[in-house]
Amino acid sequence: VQLVESGGGLVQAGGSLRLSCAASGFAFDDYAIAWFRQAPGKEREGVACIGGADGGTYYTESVQGRFVISSDNARNTVDLQMNSLKPEDTAVYYCAAGLGYLHPGEYDYWGQGTQVTVSS
């Protein structure tokens, strides 16, 4: 099982970044894929997820209207388009595969993370 994130970097507040998660080694269609983030000194937070039992998309309140999660089942990838970025979005972003929703305990497989830094 492998989840590989890409697309992180440094951006000014108000800017955009697109993260991508490439998955392999498991039945992609059977899992929900989520993006989590963890800032220094804070708990890991669910940001957005897609797929799983109901096939829906879910977002944490702080990113609704700014972030969009999408999947390409043919390529086994899940992207996170992040717009109107704020300094408080700064964190390491992780891709994960599991049952669904935004609780870390529901996820079995994790990527190594990619740093997103938003400057003010």
Side-chain angles (χ1 to χ4, degrees):
V1 175
Q2 196 171 24
L3 295 166
V4 180
E5 302 97 335
S6 61
L10 173 65
V11 64
Q12 288 188 332
S16 299
L17 280 175
R18 189 176 184 90
L19 305 183
S20 186
C21 173
S24 61
F26 63 97
F28 184 82
D29 292 352
D30 292 343
Y31 284 79
I33 304 296
W35 286 94
F36 290 82
R37 66 186 180 187
Q38 189 165 20
K42 295 188 176 182
E43 292 186 355
R44 191 164 295 189
E45 173 191 29
V47 175
C49 68
I50 189 168
D54 65 5
T57 57
Y58 298 89
Y59 298 91
T60 192
E61 185 174 354
S62 63
V63 307
Q64 284 183 352
R66 299 190 297 124
F67 291 10
V68 178
I69 190 169
S70 60
S71 68
D72 184 336
N73 287 9
R75 296 173 56 235
N76 285 7
T77 58
V78 172
D79 289 352
L80 184 69
Q81 177 65 43
M82 306 186 296
N83 301 319
S84 302
L85 282 161
K86 304 175 181 180
E88 51 263 44
D89 294 318
T90 295
V92 177
Y93 283 70
Y94 299 89
C95 173
L99 292 177
Y101 304 111
L102 295 177
H103 192 282
E106 299 295 332
Y107 289 81
D108 301 314
Y109 307 121
W110 293 83
Q112 81 287 351
T114 186
Q115 177 71 46
V116 171
T117 303
V118 184
S119 63
S120 57

